[in-house]
Amino acid sequence: MKEMLYSIPVNDAFQVECECPICAMRKVLEDNAVRYTMGPSYMEEDTRAMTDAMGFCQKHIKDVYNMENRLGMALVLKTNFDKVIRDVKSMSVKPVKPKSLFKKETQKIPILEYVENLNNTCFVCNRIELVFNRYIDTVIFLWKTDENFKKKFDGCKGFCTTHYAIMIKEASDKLKGDDLMIFIDTLNNLYIASMERVRDDLEWFINKNDYKYANEPWKNAKDAIPRALTKANSIL
């Protein structure tokens, strides 16, 4: 079954010591997509056609740049610029006289639609999403069919808010009856318990910055802020 093709990376992610195994899965996909972009693939015409058409979001253009393949970066950017220049030149924006003096009519301006679309597409994001959704499907599939994975799921440190919501949505589409009720109940308990745990660590971190607690142990609070960022903003 196709779900099994993704069981290894999903199982691996649930063995990572972190506040959200789904974030861990996505991070691997992101790193692989960035490396792919600046690997030999950038010389392939079909890949360049996609990078030319999609461009990159603000985050991922920085990640691609940090791969330090300056020649590859220049080539990718140059052909992207070529396409954008050609496309913009082919679109002329001319003022249109209104049909009525009293009614202002709205008009779609092709160049604005083009730029808005360009600003909302990213080659790296696209590569991530193509596989990420299958990973989520595999999590649910393994939870239902693999007892060992179910134990890993039940024993994880919970999920970030974004992926908690994604899991609820996808489970609602793919599970039914008792399976759905048990999965959602487990998911809720994991999320709430982990949020409370990190909240308490943040509280202790705050206390440790008060001189009254200077001689008290740090407990698990030293890295409370980066773990809280994972929970709240999916930053791993």
Side-chain angles (χ1 to χ4, degrees):
M1 296 181 68
K2 69 176 184 178
E3 288 88 350
M4 299 313 294
L5 296 174
Y6 305 99
S7 62
I8 293 176
V10 169
N11 270 293
D12 288 347
F14 274 80
Q15 291 176 336
V16 174
E17 187 74 11
C18 70
E19 293 293 345
C20 179
I22 309 298
C23 283
M25 289 193 305
R26 190 178 181 88
K27 182 67 167 62
V28 171
L29 286 174
E30 184 176 48
D31 291 345
N32 289 342
V34 170
R35 281 194 294 268
Y36 176 86
T37 304
M38 281 293 99
S41 66
Y42 73 83
M43 295 299 294
E44 299 173 5
E45 288 186 11
D46 56 344
T47 299
R48 291 280 281 284
M50 288 189 287
T51 58
D52 291 348
M54 295 181 184
F56 300 91
C57 67
Q58 188 178 59
K59 178 186 186 305
H60 290 136
I61 195 66
K62 292 178 182 177
D63 292 340
V64 171
Y65 178 79
N66 288 335
M67 291 298 292
E68 297 187 352
N69 181 348
R70 297 296 182 256
L71 175 58
M73 186 79 182
L75 288 167
V76 168
L77 289 173
K78 192 266 181 186
T79 55
N80 173 257
F81 275 42
D82 286 343
K83 184 179 188 306
V84 172
I85 291 167
R86 284 195 308 271
D87 291 346
V88 171
K89 280 184 176 180
S90 70
M91 301 174 195
S92 59
V93 181
K94 296 179 180 178
V96 178
K97 291 182 181 180
K99 294 179 180 179
S100 169
L101 294 174
F102 304 101
K103 183 179 179 181
K104 184 178 180 181
E105 294 191 2
T106 59
Q107 177 196 15
K108 288 185 178 180
I109 302 175
I111 198 167
L112 291 181
E113 289 187 294
Y114 173 81
V115 172
E116 287 172 0
N117 180 66
L118 193 62
N119 287 337
N120 288 286
T121 56
C122 171
F123 176 74
V124 173
C125 288
N126 185 65
R127 282 190 65 83
I128 293 169
E129 293 305 324
L130 286 173
V131 180
F132 181 71
N133 293 331
R134 297 171 191 170
Y135 277 11
I136 298 297
D137 291 348
T138 304
V139 170
I140 296 169
F141 174 80
L142 291 176
W143 179 88
K144 184 178 178 180
T145 62
D146 187 327
E147 194 60 36
N148 288 329
F149 178 80
K150 196 171 187 177
K151 290 177 182 177
K152 290 181 186 178
F153 186 96
D154 294 349
C156 79
K157 291 187 172 183
F159 304 92
C160 69
T161 300
T162 297
H163 295 141
Y164 164 65
I166 288 175
M167 295 289 284
I168 290 176
K169 180 179 181 300
E170 293 304 313
S172 298
D173 291 338
K174 293 174 175 61
L175 297 176
K176 295 179 181 179
D178 289 344
D179 283 339
L180 178 59
M181 291 180 63
I182 294 170
F183 184 87
I184 296 297
D185 187 53
T186 301
L187 191 63
N188 287 340
N189 289 336
L190 284 170
Y191 177 74
I192 293 169
S194 66
M195 288 290 283
E196 290 176 341
R197 171 175 52 76
V198 175
R199 185 273 317 275
D200 292 346
D201 289 342
L202 285 169
E203 183 176 24
W204 190 245
F205 181 93
I206 294 167
N207 288 341
K208 278 294 294 176
N209 281 272
D210 186 328
Y211 74 93
K212 292 184 293 186
Y213 296 89
N215 295 323
E216 296 292 331
W218 273 94
K219 301 180 183 178
N220 294 318
K222 281 189 176 181
D223 63 344
I225 293 175
R227 288 190 289 110
L229 290 177
T230 298
K231 289 295 188 192
N233 300 96
S234 307
I235 298 173
L236 190 61

